[in-house]
Amino acid sequence: MSVLAFDRVGIRYGAHRALSEFSLNLAPGEAVALIGGTGSGKSSASLAALGLLHAGASLEGTVRREGRVAMIFQEPLLALNPLMTIGAQVAEAVTARHAMKHRAAAAEAARLLAEVGLDPTAIPPQRYPHELSGGQRQRVAIAIALASEPAVLIADEPTTALDPETATQVMALVARLVRERHMALLLVTHDLDLARGIADRIVLLDHGHVIETGPLPAILEAPRTAALLERMHHRPQRRRSQPDTPPVLQAIGLQHGYGARTVIAGVNLALHAGQIVGLVGSSGEGKSTLLRLVLGLEHPQHGQVLIDGHDLHKARGADLRGLRRKVQAVFQDPGASLDPRWRVGRIVAEPLGLLEPRLPPAERDARVCAVLARVGLPEDAASRLPGAFSGGQRQRIALARALVVEPEVIVLDEATSALDAHVRAEILDLIASLADEGLAFLFVTHDRSMIEGLADRLYRLSAGKLIAQDLPPRAPREP
Amino acid sequence: MRRIDPALATGAALTALFVLAALIAPLWTPYDVAAIDIAARLQGPSTRHWLGTDQFGRDEFSLVMAGASVSLGVAGSAIAAALALGVPLGLVASARAGWLDDTLMRTADVLFAFPGLLLAILLSAVLGPGAIDAALAIALFNVPVFARVARGAALPIWSADFIAAAQLAGRSRSAIALAHVLPNMAAPIIVQASIQAGLALLGEAGLSYAGLGVQTPAPSWGRMLADAQTLIGTAPRLAVVPGLAIIIAVAGFTLLGDGLARASRGKGKH
């Protein structure tokens, strides 16, 4: 008997096939990890299990459910209502399952919150989500999932927004709950280490196809497993940087807030030529604000951002353009960071307006051509619109735009999270080789395992402050 | 696989019919609209006069065609003027949050609070009746509509990453507004312009009906309707024909606008 069964499930979004011939049976009490990179179809499979596919998706085959299916998401902050207390949110889920009196629901909610490790004396149910840490929010989300007494729990990247210690604790909680409640678990992740401790079986997905399936640890011996894992946990070769030069970008005592809320509470950061500095942190911890301050898109309430020793926020006119030339950025979603109505050549040439004196048109075109070739785009790319390119190619266009003025620092805001494993590995190699040529990178990301393999230094932004993180010793990692 | 939205196709066809009639009328109509032929007055539809003749013996079909020209002239110039004023105001409001935005939008609120047609009647009464005054009046109550729509369309574009990228490229706020924001807000503005054109046609017909729009001898659907009122017992056809013409033109623009709105939404989704 199985509580969740996929029978030859296929999912298409228009012409794009996200999942093909996917079959999987989950028995009660069984834990299966669905592992794959971005674009592998693993999230589509979990949405199909919940019956939550988008309106534009078409489903082939059947998904059979015995009993209820509940889900916990990657970003607990987005899964919770910011205007309701955590107790009320859990109670709401309880009454959705069983009609009961307000007081009984509140008592049940308190019991569930205690079950997920939120001790009522320390974290009373009257708290709001913003008063909790990332790990505590994820525990609330788990309590809400438990309220429906599910037979199957789906966890989609439940720990990527958390620091490693909290992630371990949350996964231990999930493992305990699955065991105690005899639930089936479908863990959707790109992180093999996460699956290792908890899963009975592993299903490896790549481009919508199951490429390997089997119990741990035997599956790790399969040749296709090794190839996929190498791509997913790609670690580009890097030369060691020499940080004896003065910093190219320096943040000193940065503070910023909105209204009464302090978002950035005293950040000091120095970036040297050829360095890659990683920055991780949950949503709502101020990563975007910090980036906007460092890029000079927003003025800090206190503190300075120095580019080669010059204050970015005090510069005006030609001085400001000179500093802007040195710091460029690549954003998360290449679909949103390229003007859909501009041709690629014009997009990439836009920052050339920062150069003094202005380049003659022929030289501009030559520069654009050269930089498009540098990021591996076809020669005719300049005359096309961004819509004619894939996500990975668009991100190369965004990178070309950042590179065209030969900056000293590039800020990457989740610049690889929208890319599939193959493309991401190529982009990471490109970033590593640019860093070896002396370019400095500030890389903001959710993906801790990826940045650990790339960065020279790693920080976590928590409560508006930077906390230095340990990096594993740089050696080729065995899968 | 591309399915054609029936409402969009109908709207486009009706609008094309109206615009075509309006464009041909100044060059050619079956009969001269100013030629009075009392002997042939109040005839029913025939092969010579497709829609019959009016109380002065003028060809009704020619009158409807000429009326289309007048309607398009008044409504079209009113919408063009409202676009030319409203869109820049909305763009400026979106670019400069603060007192300027507040002032512009509160002024728009005040204009909105007046029933549009009443405002137009008031203005025509003050400025005196005539085609240009009617166009001015219709333009005036359309300015806040376009300012609103433009601001609403521009605000989400300002927060897009390609705007941040343009700022990093050293572009000034006004350069970004013109180069990035304006082209990307075209779709909702075109949709709104089509819907407002339908309403402007209706406004023009209403003003002419009340005697505040186009003056004799220029033909106009609104006045044809008013003139037909006294003959409604003997020749109801004279009221039905301009009435149908108004319905066709207004429905054409409205369906076209709705269809375009659906089409642009659908494109955004997939």
Side-chain angles (χ1 to χ4, degrees):
Chain A
M1 198 207 100
S2 58
V3 281
L4 178 65
F6 294 87
D7 186 21
R8 299 164 69 85
V9 169
I11 297 168
R12 275 189 303 116
Y13 298 96
H16 174 67
R17 193 163 253 296
L19 197 64
S20 309
E21 297 274 323
F22 179 71
S23 296
L24 176 69
N25 286 303
L26 245 78
E30 190 184 25
V32 173
L34 199 54
I35 296 187
T38 307
S40 61
K42 61 188 196 302
S43 290
S44 291
S46 64
L47 289 175
L50 289 157
L52 284 181
L53 283 173
H54 306 294
S58 65
L59 179 73
E60 299 152 11
T62 52
V63 181
R64 219 161 23 77
R65 290 176 285 263
E66 304 280 340
R68 275 166 300 283
V69 181
M71 180 148 174
I72 49 180
F73 296 90
Q74 185 170 353
E75 271 293 343
L77 190 60
L78 302 180
L80 299 178
N81 182 341
L83 297 178
M84 273 171 85
T85 64
I86 55 172
Q89 293 187 57
V90 179
E92 187 181 56
V94 168
T95 44
R97 170 81 188 95
H98 294 294
M100 62 169 76
K101 288 258 167 52
H102 180 73
R103 190 168 303 170
E108 174 66 10
R111 199 189 60 70
L112 283 168
L113 285 170
E115 187 180 348
V116 298
L118 294 175
D119 179 9
T121 53
I123 315 282
Q126 289 78 27
R127 290 279 177 91
Y128 286 90
H130 72 266
E131 298 173 304
L132 306 183
S133 71
Q136 291 164 341
R137 284 179 201 141
Q138 195 59 291
R139 286 171 191 266
V140 175
I142 293 170
I144 291 172
L146 293 182
S148 68
E149 295 165 19
V152 183
L153 183 65
I154 299 178
D156 189 353
E157 302 278 16
T159 59
T160 41
L162 309 175
D163 64 87
E165 199 180 321
T166 316
T168 312
Q169 291 166 1
V170 167
M171 283 318 291
L173 170 70
V174 170
R176 175 171 65 80
L177 291 171
V178 166
R179 199 171 53 242
E180 286 175 3
R181 291 177 165 246
H182 204 59
M183 287 186 291
L185 173 72
L186 184 62
L187 176 66
V188 179
T189 182
H190 68 281
D191 187 355
L192 183 69
D193 293 332
L194 196 68
R196 224 173 240 173
I198 192 167
D200 306 310
R201 264 195 304 150
I202 287 196
V203 178
L204 277 169
L205 272 180
D206 191 28
H207 282 112
H209 295 274
V210 175
I211 60 163
E212 242 10 292
T213 172
L216 273 167
I219 189 171
L220 298 177
E221 307 300 323
R224 279 182 294 186
T225 310
L228 178 69
L229 292 179
E230 204 294 311
R231 269 204 310 279
M232 279 171 49
H233 300 276
H234 182 70
R235 288 176 178 225
Q237 294 295 312
R238 293 227 26 229
R239 282 203 304 262
R240 270 282 167 216
S241 58
Q242 293 90 33
D244 50 2
T245 52
V248 285
L249 185 146
Q250 208 176 356
I252 302 169
L254 275 188
Q255 275 185 40
H256 199 63
Y258 302 100
R261 203 164 69 89
T262 303
V263 179
I264 300 297
V267 162
N268 294 299
L269 180 72
L271 199 57
H272 297 266
Q275 272 191 341
I276 299 177
V277 171
L279 182 63
V280 293
S282 312
S283 296
E285 297 278 20
K287 282 183 306 197
S288 309
T289 305
L290 181 58
L291 286 192
R292 292 184 65 81
L293 295 175
V294 166
L295 290 169
L297 295 174
E298 215 163 315
H299 282 256
Q301 287 164 346
H302 299 285
Q304 293 175 302
V305 174
L306 303 181
I307 313 290
D308 283 339
H310 301 281
D311 191 329
L312 175 64
H313 295 281
K314 291 218 168 72
R316 293 286 175 273
D319 292 341
L320 179 61
R321 282 200 296 278
L323 295 183
R324 284 227 189 280
R325 185 194 66 76
K326 296 178 181 177
V327 186
Q328 290 291 311
V330 177
F331 299 95
Q332 173 171 14
D333 178 4
S337 71
L338 307 175
D339 189 330
R341 288 174 192 277
W342 280 33
R343 294 195 186 279
V344 169
R346 191 177 169 204
I347 290 173
V348 173
E350 193 176 27
L352 288 175
L354 290 169
L355 298 181
E356 308 273 355
R358 299 221 156 217
L359 296 177
E363 203 167 316
R364 287 171 76 106
D365 291 349
R367 276 250 201 153
V368 168
C369 266
V371 78
L372 286 176
R374 177 78 182 84
V375 297
L377 283 167
E379 231 168 68
D380 63 339
S383 60
R384 288 148 74 189
L385 288 169
F389 295 89
S390 71
Q393 286 176 315
R394 282 188 221 170
Q395 203 58 302
R396 287 168 196 267
I397 297 169
L399 195 56
R401 171 176 58 191
L403 287 171
V404 76
V405 285
E406 294 166 1
E408 292 170 7
V409 181
I410 292 186
V411 174
L412 303 166
D413 184 4
E414 303 274 7
T416 55
S417 60
L419 308 176
D420 72 34
H422 305 255
V423 180
R424 195 174 63 170
E426 289 170 21
I427 298 266
L428 291 180
D429 280 337
L430 183 58
I431 289 168
S433 74
L434 288 167
D436 286 342
E437 289 169 22
L439 196 55
F441 287 91
L442 177 60
F443 199 151
V444 173
T445 180
H446 261 103
D447 189 344
R448 210 180 157 103
S449 71
M450 180 272 288
I451 194 67
E452 280 179 349
L454 187 67
D456 300 298
R457 276 183 291 137
L458 182 63
Y459 295 98
R460 190 159 70 84
L461 190 62
S462 181
K465 284 190 155 55
L466 287 185
I467 303 160
Q469 305 284 294
D470 291 332
L471 280 173
R474 172 129 349 122
R477 198 174 72 149
E478 297 300 321
Chain B
M1 188 179 73
R2 228 188 151 86
R3 260 171 303 153
I4 293 167
D5 179 2
L8 179 60
T10 313
L14 293 181
T15 306
L17 186 71
F18 166 69
V19 172
L20 203 64
L23 292 180
I24 293 174
L27 306 172
W28 174 85
T29 47
Y31 291 87
D32 182 0
V33 290
I36 290 173
D37 180 4
I38 299 296
R41 65 196 285 266
L42 291 177
Q43 284 182 359
S46 64
T47 46
R48 287 189 59 209
H49 299 284
W50 294 349
L51 296 176
T53 59
D54 73 352
Q55 66 274 33
F56 302 113
R58 294 181 297 185
D59 178 51
E60 190 77 359
F61 185 72
S62 304
L63 283 172
V64 167
M65 275 182 76
S69 294
V70 171
S71 291
L72 184 69
V74 171
S77 54
I79 294 299
L83 275 170
L85 203 59
V87 172
L89 283 176
L91 191 57
V92 167
S94 76
R96 296 257 176 261
W99 66 268
L100 187 58
D101 183 19
D102 289 344
T103 312
L104 286 171
M105 286 304 119
R106 293 303 81 77
T107 313
D109 286 344
V110 171
L111 275 170
F112 263 128
F114 276 83
L117 204 54
L118 202 66
L119 183 72
I121 291 171
L122 186 74
L123 257 165
S124 288
V126 173
L127 296 170
I132 293 172
D133 301 322
L136 263 180
I138 294 167
L140 187 67
F141 79 79
N142 272 304
V143 169
V145 175
F146 287 116
R148 259 292 158 69
V149 171
R151 178 177 175 273
L155 282 177
I157 300 171
W158 278 109
S159 59
D161 283 343
F162 63 80
I163 301 295
Q167 280 175 275
L168 293 182
R171 306 290 293 261
S172 69
R173 228 168 148 70
S174 48
I176 292 171
L178 292 177
H180 287 291
V181 180
L182 189 60
N184 279 292
M185 57 195 236
I189 290 175
I190 290 169
V191 166
Q192 195 65 38
S194 179
I195 291 168
Q196 292 306 119
L199 291 174
L201 281 175
L202 205 57
E204 188 274 332
L207 288 174
S208 300
Y209 178 84
L212 296 169
V214 185
Q215 295 303 298
T216 338
S220 137
W221 293 346
R223 248 211 0 275
M224 284 165 74
L225 212 52
D227 293 346
Q229 231 169 350
T230 51
L231 299 162
I232 197 88
T234 49
R237 174 180 47 83
L238 293 183
V240 170
V241 168
L244 275 178
I246 293 169
I247 289 172
I248 286 173
V250 174
F253 276 110
T254 310
L255 287 172
L256 181 67
D258 281 351
L260 288 174
R262 264 196 304 280
S264 68
R265 266 203 305 277
K267 208 167 61 192
K269 227 182 249 171
H270 297 294

